[in-house]
């Protein structure tokens, strides 16, 4: 097997930081193309290039020192990556797959129209009048989305009536790094809950899925996951895992794929969107699964055998730490660790700012309610929200 040894990661956020931790154990070399010298991963990775990931010359030069290129985020322009690939650079996932995580319009066309997978009813809208027409056809509210550039709820608008239909067109320019943005109007799914399935696929087509997670979003930001999703029947669980594997295979994904889903009140699911990199809803795997999503992403990208995706315990809850009690993460950790020795905590090396993802806590064990309560208590303390 001809495995890659030097992995170039574009983007220096917490996902790259946690990939680096996995790379250390595997003896893989990591080079990082970071947005700045102080971003999360740049604070720990040894070989850092600071540069603009939208500049083809910068990315080409960075790639020259790597066996394979992968990502911490989805914002590298597709055309730039196609150019790299044409020049013989190994890009994983490749742009032909990645574009479905970058562009929600293409994703809907491919998954809904192409593969016939369940998606919300949707239509591309050229202006506010078309969006208003969609709203009166489907009924309000409707969801509008920028096809490109969104994250953490930026680029998603809930429109409660015709008067709201102008906002997406006025505000969408700011969410995409200069790429053409199409506004998609989408049926508002009155979901019972959100789910996520994370799968990993190697260059040889072998793939594995992780157990399905229940996920909670607040204001477009993931705040909590519980795995496996409580109350999900074995048949639905395996159906959703098969759906994830089918998408990875159909798109030719190499690396991690996260499929975000909405569960309707009748139990059926629709696909929300895709990510092709380690994903917030897979953070639980760092402590709660035999092989973490970060390690499996690197293994896939490097062409190494994939690791088992089984959970270590019947239940696992991950809770994000948004903002924080204080800038002293070590001191805050000391407090929660003393109260709960089984707790796992990851900090991302980020300064304190309200609402910013600064870390996460994970708890696993035999009792779902207890595991969840412990994770919530620790995260609340770390966020300064406890009532002590
Ligand atoms: N059609 C819909 N109906 C109801 N709620 C929706 C719909 N689409 C999205 N949402 C809600 O908005 C959230 C954000 O949407 P989406 O995942 O498309 O945006 P995003 O900003 O790209 O997110 P991410 O940070 O995961 O990249 C979803 O997690 C869900 O809670
Ligand atoms: Mg999302």
């Amino acid at each position: 097997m001809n495995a890659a040894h030097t992995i170039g990661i574009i983007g220096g956020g917490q996902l790259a930081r946690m990939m680096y931790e996995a790379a250390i154990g595997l003896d893989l070399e990591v080079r990082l193309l970071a947005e700045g010298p102080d971003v999360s991963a740049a604070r720990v990775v040894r070989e850092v290039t600071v540069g603009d990931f939208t500049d083809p010359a910068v990315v080409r030069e960075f790639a020259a020192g790597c066996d394979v290129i992968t990502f911490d985020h989805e914002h590298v322009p597709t055309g730039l990556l196609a150019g790299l690939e044409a020049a013989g650079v190994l890009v994983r996932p490749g742009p032909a797959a990645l574009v479905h995580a970058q562009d929600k319009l293409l994703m809907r066309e491919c998954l809904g129209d192409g593969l016939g997978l369940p998606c919300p009813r949707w239509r591309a809208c050229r202006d506010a009048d078309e969006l208003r027409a969609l709203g009166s056809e489907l009924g309000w509210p409707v969801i509008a989305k920028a096809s490109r550039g969104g994250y953490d709820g930026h680029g998603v608008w809930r429109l409660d009536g015709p008067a709201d239909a102008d906002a997406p067109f006025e505000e969408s320019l700011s969410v995409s790094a200069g790429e053409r943005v199409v506004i998609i109007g989408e049926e508002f799914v009155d979901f019972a809950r959100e789910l996520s399935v994370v799968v990993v696929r190697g260059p040889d087509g072998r793939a594995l899925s992780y157990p399905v997670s229940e996920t909670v979003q607040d204001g477009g930001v993931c705040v909590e996951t519980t795995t496996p999703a409580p109350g999900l029947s074995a048949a639905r669980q395996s159906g959703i895992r098969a759906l994830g594997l089918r998408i990875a295979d159909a798109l030719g994904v190499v690396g991690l794929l996260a499929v975000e889903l909405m569960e309707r009140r009748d139990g059926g699911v629709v696909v929300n969107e895709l990510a092709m990199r380690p994903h917030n809803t897979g953070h639980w795997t760092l402590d709660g699964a035999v092989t973490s999503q970060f390690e499996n992403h690197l293994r896939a990208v490097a062409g190494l055998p994939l690791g088992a995706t089984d959970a270590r315990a019947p239940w696992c809850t991950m809770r994000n730490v948004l903002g924080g009690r204080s800038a002293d993460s070590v001191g805050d950790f000391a407090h929660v660790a003393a109260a709960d020795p089984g707790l796992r905590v990851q900090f991302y090396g980020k300064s304190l700012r309200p609402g910013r993802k600064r870390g996460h806590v994970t708890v696993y064990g035999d009792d779902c309610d207890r595991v969840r309560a412990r994770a919530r208590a620790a995260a609340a303390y770390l966020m300064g929200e406890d009532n002590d």
Side-chain angles (χ1 to χ4, degrees):
M1 182 177 279
N2 202 1
H5 288 63
T6 304
I7 318 280
I9 303 176
I10 301 184
Q14 65 265 23
L15 304 178
R17 181 179 169 111
M18 290 184 271
M19 279 190 249
Y20 189 58
E21 189 181 7
I24 292 169
L26 298 176
D27 235 354
L28 290 168
E29 287 285 320
V30 165
R31 301 208 172 146
L32 185 74
L33 180 59
E35 302 81 344
D38 290 327
V39 294
S40 178
R43 296 167 69 97
V44 294
V45 175
R46 205 162 66 103
E47 304 229 25
V48 181
T49 304
V50 173
D52 176 4
F53 61 79
T54 65
D55 182 336
V58 168
V59 178
R60 250 196 327 266
E61 195 184 327
F62 171 71
C66 308
D67 296 332
V68 60
I69 294 295
T70 193
F71 311 95
D72 161 271
H73 60 69
E74 276 126 16
H75 304 311
V76 184
T78 322
L80 191 163
L81 295 175
L84 272 190
E85 213 172 39
V89 176
L90 209 50
V91 180
R92 289 177 171 163
L98 186 68
V99 72
H100 299 92
Q102 297 180 312
D103 190 320
K104 288 174 174 164
L105 176 65
L106 289 182
M107 180 270 292
R108 285 273 177 256
E109 283 171 354
C110 174
L111 300 192
D113 306 350
L115 298 173
L117 301 177
C119 291
R121 285 171 291 165
W122 68 280
R123 195 156 72 214
C125 296
R126 273 170 302 192
D127 55 32
D129 284 338
E130 290 195 0
L131 206 42
R132 277 189 271 271
L134 186 76
S136 47
E137 195 181 309
L138 300 180
W140 302 94
V142 294
I143 298 286
K145 294 185 180 182
S147 57
R148 280 182 171 262
Y151 66 97
D152 285 350
H154 300 285
V156 177
W157 297 264
R158 180 192 153 128
L159 313 178
D160 286 312
D164 294 340
D166 293 299
F169 295 92
E170 286 161 6
E171 295 165 21
S172 67
L173 292 175
S174 64
V175 298
S176 161
E179 291 203 82
R180 197 173 72 97
V181 182
V182 175
I183 298 295
I184 301 165
E186 215 167 80
E187 161 197 359
F188 175 80
V189 180
D190 179 27
F191 54 75
R193 59 177 170 176
E194 293 186 81
L195 301 172
S196 159
V197 63
V198 174
V199 306
V200 58
R201 184 174 177 277
D204 58 1
R206 284 188 209 187
L208 294 170
S209 63
Y210 286 92
V212 176
S213 301
E214 174 179 313
T215 78
V216 182
Q217 270 65 232
D218 187 4
V221 179
C222 175
V223 292
E224 183 180 288
T225 71
T226 296
T227 315
L232 196 65
S233 71
R236 287 203 192 270
Q237 171 87 230
S238 61
I240 291 170
R241 292 175 74 158
L243 174 80
L245 292 168
R246 172 146 183 243
I247 295 172
D249 202 48
L251 301 183
V253 177
V254 177
L256 247 280
L257 167 74
V259 183
E260 298 178 8
L261 302 146
M262 295 179 276
E263 185 183 56
R264 293 191 190 270
R265 294 185 189 276
D266 66 4
V269 294
V270 290
V271 176
N272 176 32
E273 63 157 349
L274 309 178
M276 290 179 202
R277 50 167 169 77
H279 192 246
N280 201 156
T281 65
H283 286 358
W284 69 274
T285 62
L286 201 51
D287 301 295
V290 173
T291 313
S292 81
Q293 61 163 352
F294 303 100
E295 178 165 337
N296 259 339
H297 183 71
L298 290 180
R299 288 195 195 201
V301 162
L304 291 165
L306 305 178
T309 51
D310 308 271
R312 290 180 194 267
W315 298 103
C316 185
T317 290
M318 183 285 320
R319 187 97 190 160
N320 273 351
V321 177
L322 304 166
R325 163 175 294 271
S326 76
D328 178 16
S329 44
V330 177
D332 293 344
F333 169 74
H335 181 95
V336 292
D340 187 347
L343 193 71
R344 304 290 306 152
V345 179
Q346 284 282 322
F347 285 114
Y348 305 156
K350 292 183 174 179
S351 59
L352 198 56
R353 204 191 294 151
R356 188 178 204 196
K357 283 183 190 168
R358 282 183 68 236
H360 68 262
V361 301
T362 310
V363 177
Y364 52 91
D366 295 332
D367 182 293
C368 181
D369 291 340
R370 182 81 199 108
V371 159
R372 222 180 224 169
R374 285 167 56 200
R376 285 179 182 173
Y381 181 85
L382 295 174
M383 291 164 68
E385 288 179 352
D386 61 316
N387 298 317
D388 290 354

